[in-house]
Amino acid sequence: MVSQNYICRISESSLMPFLDLGKQPLGNGFVVESDFTHEYFYSMMVGFSPESKMVQLLNQPNPELMFHSEYAFYSSTSVTMAQHFSDFFSSVMNSPYLSKDDPFVIELGCNDGIMLKHFAKRGIKHLGIEPSINVAKVANENGVNTISEFFSSKLAGDILTNFGKADVFLAANVMCHIPHIKDVALAVSSILKKTGVLIFEDPYLGDVIEKTSYDQIYDEHVFLFSAHSVKYLFNLYGMDLIDVQWQKTHGGSMRYTISHSGEYPISDNVINLLEKEKKIGLDKSGTFDSFRVNVERSKFELTNLLKKLKSEGKRICGYGATSKSTTILNYCGIGKETIDYICDITPIKQGKFSPGMHIPILPHKTFIENPPDYALLFAWNHAEEIMAKEKNFTDSGGKWIVHVPEVKIL
Ligand code: DWN
C-alpha cells in the first residue's frame, strides 16, 4: 500500500489505508463496445480515520462521472425494496417528528420516487432532490416534486427561500455517496426546523466487516458508516445522533436519526450500539487489518471455486448486474472466459457490457431460455426475492453460488 499521506474527509487528520482493491472502473459504468478503449479507471483504496472513526475511499471519481442523465440504477427494480420504502414512509408518518400543520418532507437522492411517492399521494408537501436526470424524470412522472441537482448548503438556501424549513429530511442509500458530506451536514442543520430530524440509512460497517461483504465498497460509496463516525460527523454541526435502527436491506443497513442537540433524548439504542461497536472493534484500526485478510481469503476461495467448475465444463452466469459486482469482478479478475453473461431486469443495462471486465449484460429471458449450470448471485442482498422467483431453475438442478457471508454453493 502506498505511503502517501491521506487526509480524513471529516476530521482532516491522517487516514490509515488498509485495503487496496486495485484499478476499478465506475460501479455503474456499463459500457458499449466502442467505449472499451477509453474506459475510466481509478485506484480504489480504503482507509480508516482513528480520529473520526470514518471508513472511506482514499480517492473517489468526480460525482458528475457517476450521477448523470444515464444513471443505471432504478430503485424500483426490487419488490422487497418497494415494500421496505412503503414501511419507511409509514414509520415517518407514525413518528412524533411531522408537525400537524402543513408538514414538509425532503428526500435527498429520491431516485425514481420509490419512497416519496407515498407522501405525494397523501398530498404532503415534499421535495425530492436527485442529481441523476433520468431517474429524477421518472420520480416526477410518479407525481413526486423533484429537482435534479447536487445538494449543498447553497441549494439549501434556495430551498429555504422557496419552501421553508423541513420537519423531516430523508436519505436512503445516499449519504454514503457524498464526498462533501460536511457541507451537507451543515446544510441539513440549516434547513431543519428546531424540532426537525434527519433520518437516513446506509449499508452498515458492522455488517460489512462481519460478512466480508467488501463489494459494498465501490466508487459511489465513499463512506461506510458506523454509529461512531455518524455521531462524530453530526456533533461537529451541533447535532445529536438520537436513534439507530438496524435494517435487513443491502445485507445489513443502519437507520440513523439525527436532531439539533438537546431537542430529543438519546435513545438506549444509540448507547447500546456504541458499546457494541467498541466490543467488535469498529473504533480500532486492527479490525480493518483482519478484514483485509478476510477479503483476500474470499477472493482466493471464489476464484478457485470458479476455476474448478470451469475445469469440469460447467456453464456459469451472473445474476444481477449490481454495482457491487463491479468490485468483485475487477478485484478478482473474473471475465467472460468464466461468466458467459450477467442477466438483469434493468433495460438501461441490457445490451451493454459490465464495467472493466466486459461481460455481456442480457435480459432476464436469457436466463430462462438459456439457463446455466451455476448462477453467481451478485444481487445476494435480494436472495430471498430472487430465489422465490427462480424456483424453476433450482428445481431443475440449477445451482447458486454466493460469496457473502462466505463463498459457497447453495
Ligand atoms: O447505494 C446503492 C444501492 C442502493 O443501489 C447504489 N449506489 C447503487 C445500487 O447498488 P447495487 O447495484 O449493488 O444495488 P442492488 O439493489 O443490489 O441491484 C440489484 C440489481 O439486480 C439491479 O440491477 C436489478 C437487478 N435485479 C434483477 O435483475 N432481478 C434485481 C432483482 C431483485 C431481480 O429480481
Side-chain angles (χ1 to χ4, degrees), residues 145-352:
N145 183 22
T146 309
I147 52 171
S148 192
E149 287 190 49
F150 285 98
F151 187 59
S152 63
S153 45
K154 187 184 168 304
L155 182 62
D158 297 342
I159 295 172
L160 268 179
T161 311
N162 295 319
F163 297 88
K165 290 203 170 197
D167 297 80
V168 177
F169 191 104
L170 299 168
N173 305 306
V174 171
M175 295 296 264
C176 73
H177 294 64
I178 307 180
H180 59 285
I181 197 160
K182 286 174 87 172
D183 183 53
V184 166
L186 176 69
V188 171
S189 75
S190 73
I191 212 168
L192 282 180
K193 290 179 181 169
K194 190 166 175 295
T195 53
V197 289
L198 161 66
I199 310 176
F200 74 94
E201 61 185 37
D202 279 296
Y204 177 54
L205 177 65
D207 285 288
V208 171
I209 299 294
E210 187 193 324
K211 297 172 185 147
T212 318
S213 47
Y214 69 94
D215 53 349
Q216 285 295 3
I217 303 167
Y218 50 92
D219 56 346
E220 296 177 15
H221 289 180
V222 63
F223 297 116
L224 277 175
F225 296 132
S226 63
H228 272 85
S229 58
V230 166
K231 180 177 180 310
Y232 182 99
L233 167 65
F234 286 95
N235 283 173
L236 296 175
Y237 298 93
M239 302 181 88
D240 282 340
L241 174 61
I242 58 165
D243 199 20
V244 284
Q245 280 176 353
W246 188 83
Q247 309 292 320
K248 69 172 182 185
T249 50
H250 295 293
S253 298
M254 196 61 72
R255 184 176 295 169
Y256 307 91
T257 304
I258 320 275
S259 73
H260 292 296
S261 290
E263 278 305 315
Y264 297 97
I266 292 171
S267 76
D268 286 347
N269 292 345
V270 173
I271 293 156
N272 294 339
L273 186 61
L274 288 168
E275 269 307 305
K276 185 175 167 198
E277 287 184 354
K278 277 191 185 152
K279 273 196 196 125
I280 59 177
L282 296 191
D283 59 337
K284 288 179 205 72
S285 60
T287 305
F288 303 102
D289 291 327
S290 312
F291 175 65
R292 181 184 56 249
V293 172
N294 292 340
V295 170
E296 286 162 357
R297 184 186 309 122
S298 175
K299 171 181 177 174
F300 177 78
E301 289 177 0
L302 181 61
T303 49
N304 269 3
L305 173 62
L306 296 177
K307 241 182 250 157
K308 177 175 165 289
L309 294 175
K310 284 314 280 184
S311 71
E312 291 166 3
K314 304 294 186 206
R315 290 185 58 241
I316 308 171
C317 88
Y319 197 109
T322 59
S323 324
K324 297 183 289 293
S325 66
T326 299
T327 298
I328 300 293
L329 292 169
N330 287 276
Y331 173 62
C332 297
I334 302 165
K336 50 185 186 292
E337 72 297 332
T338 306
I339 296 200
D340 296 358
Y341 64 86
I342 305 174
C343 75
D344 197 289
I345 55 173
T346 317
I348 197 172
K349 296 181 183 178
Q350 296 164 0
K352 293 188 179 157

Side-chain angles (χ1 to χ4, degrees), residues 27-28 30 67 71-75 77-81 85 111 172-174 176-177 202-203 215-216 218-221 250 319-325 343-346 349 362 364 378-383 385-386 389-390:
N28 272 308
F30 298 92
F67 309 108
Y71 186 56
F73 180 72
Y74 288 77
S75 297
T77 42
S78 156
V79 290
T80 316
M81 291 311 290
F85 286 116
N111 198 277
N173 305 306
V174 171
C176 73
H177 294 64
D202 279 296
D215 53 349
Q216 285 295 3
Y218 50 92
D219 56 346
E220 296 177 15
H221 289 180
H250 295 293
Y319 197 109
T322 59
S323 324
K324 297 183 289 293
S325 66
C343 75
D344 197 289
I345 55 173
T346 317
K349 296 181 183 178
L362 299 178
H364 178 249
F378 290 125
W380 53 267
N381 45 313
H382 300 296
E385 180 176 339
I386 291 171
K389 205 185 299 185
E390 304 299 357

Side-chain angles (χ1 to χ4, degrees), residues 81-144:
M81 291 311 290
Q83 184 58 49
H84 172 76
F85 286 116
S86 167
D87 295 344
F88 195 163
F89 153 76
S90 301
S91 78
V92 174
M93 292 301 287
N94 296 326
S95 75
Y97 307 122
L98 279 188
S99 55
K100 299 261 175 305
D101 296 336
D102 199 22
F104 178 34
V105 177
I106 299 176
E107 188 185 352
L108 182 55
C110 66
N111 198 277
D112 54 18
I114 191 168
M115 173 153 59
L116 221 39
K117 70 179 180 195
H118 297 289
F119 294 94
K121 267 188 211 144
R122 277 141 190 100
I124 292 170
K125 184 170 140 192
H126 66 275
L127 180 67
I129 306 164
E130 173 50 66
S132 299
I133 298 169
N134 57 327
V135 284
K137 183 167 171 278
V138 177
N140 275 308
E141 286 162 3
N142 283 336
V144 175

